[in-house]
Amino acid sequence: EEWRQALLDIPTEHLFSADLTGCDLPPSLQDFCDSAVRLALCKVPAAPQQTREAVHQMLRLQMCPKKQHEVLRLSAVVARICQQTGTPIVVDVGSGEGYLSTELHFTHGLSVVAVEGNAGIAERAVVRTKKIAQKLSKWHRLRDTQIWGETPS
């Protein structure tokens, strides 16, 4: 209840900008917000259209078809709402293994804070996200060397 009232008292423009400076927050909510900021994936530009399919393939490696369908549809809706409202950060509460979070971040270029209460699931999400980031990094280096006519190292 304490958090609810504090959040209701925050001006909307502060919530959309994720700038809570000067807002009177309960200490536990302030600690939560500080942790969320530290854990956020930084914003990256959205992948160009021609590279999205390769990115999609990497992101969906461990997803069953039903989960792929859900993540693809929900990420498109969330990205559209963020674009329409100018919202720079998404908080994915109950993020599980991070399927939606990674899709929003790597495909749509959104900053995402993934919050998962189960430590084991959260650890799997971190491992999965690191693997995806490494694969994408290697893929982008290879793609860039091919574009510029260089020999991949």
Side-chain angles (χ1 to χ4, degrees), residues 52-53 55-64 67-69 71-72 75 99 103 107 128 132:
R52 285 190 182 179
E53 190 51 41
V55 172
H56 289 306
Q57 294 300 328
M58 286 181 217
L59 292 175
R60 296 190 189 113
L61 284 176
Q62 299 172 338
M63 283 190 248
C64 68
K67 179 62 74 177
Q68 289 179 22
H69 173 80
V71 168
L72 182 65
S75 67
Y99 298 127
E103 184 78 21
T107 301
R128 180 179 175 276
I132 290 170

Side-chain angles (χ1 to χ4, degrees), residues 27-61:
S28 60
L29 178 55
Q30 185 64 57
D31 290 344
F32 174 80
C33 291
D34 293 343
S35 294
V37 168
R38 283 193 310 277
L39 296 172
L41 294 170
C42 58
K43 185 174 171 85
V44 295
Q49 187 62 37
Q50 69 268 24
T51 65
R52 285 190 182 179
E53 190 51 41
V55 172
H56 289 306
Q57 294 300 328
M58 286 181 217
L59 292 175
R60 296 190 189 113
L61 284 176

Side-chain angles (χ1 to χ4, degrees), residues 14-29:
H14 284 271
L15 288 175
F16 284 142
S17 70
D19 178 14
L20 301 178
T21 308
C23 295
D24 187 27
L25 302 178
S28 60
L29 178 55

Side-chain angles (χ1 to χ4, degrees), residues 90-106:
V90 174
V91 179
D92 183 2
V93 178
S95 60
E97 294 193 24
Y99 298 127
L100 179 61
S101 298
T102 54
E103 184 78 21
L104 289 169
H105 178 69
F106 291 113

Side-chain angles (χ1 to χ4, degrees), residues 5 8-9 12-13 21-23 52 65 121 143:
Q5 191 55 52
L8 288 171
D9 292 341
T12 306
E13 61 273 5
T21 308
C23 295
R52 285 190 182 179
I121 294 173
R143 185 206 59 187

